Amino acid sequence: KLVHAVPHLLPLLEDPNRMVGFKVIEALGRISSPESFQALMDVLGGDDHELQAAAEEILAQLRDGE
C-alpha cells in the first residue's frame, strides 16, 4: 500500500532541491491517508512558506474532493 511510503517520503521534505519537497507534497496528497494528511498538516507548521502554500493547496483539493 502507498501509505507505507509516507515515513520514507517525509525526510525528503528537507531536501535542498525544493522541487523534491513539492513532489513529496504532491505524492502525500495522492496517497490521501490519515498519515499523509497529518504529514501535510505538519508541513503547515514548518518554516518554508512555499512548501506551506503547496501543502495548503493540496489540503484544499482534498477537502473539495478534487
Side-chain angles (χ1 to χ4, degrees):
K1 290 188 172 185
L2 292 177
V3 70
H4 298 299
V6 172
H8 301 286
L9 291 172
L10 297 181
L12 296 174
L13 287 168
E14 304 297 324
D15 193 283
N17 182 341
R18 297 181 66 121
M19 187 55 67
V20 173
F22 291 125
K23 290 298 183 180
V24 168
I25 288 171
E26 192 176 291
L28 291 171
R30 287 190 180 138
I31 293 171
S32 190
S33 70
E35 293 85 355
S36 63
F37 177 80
Q38 184 58 54
L40 289 167
M41 294 298 292
D42 291 345
V43 170
L44 296 180
D47 296 330
D48 188 317
H49 298 294
E50 290 184 9
L51 290 181
Q52 287 174 335
E56 286 175 1
E57 183 178 330
I58 294 295
L59 288 166
Q61 289 173 6
L62 292 173
R63 181 193 66 225
D64 296 340
E66 294 180 19

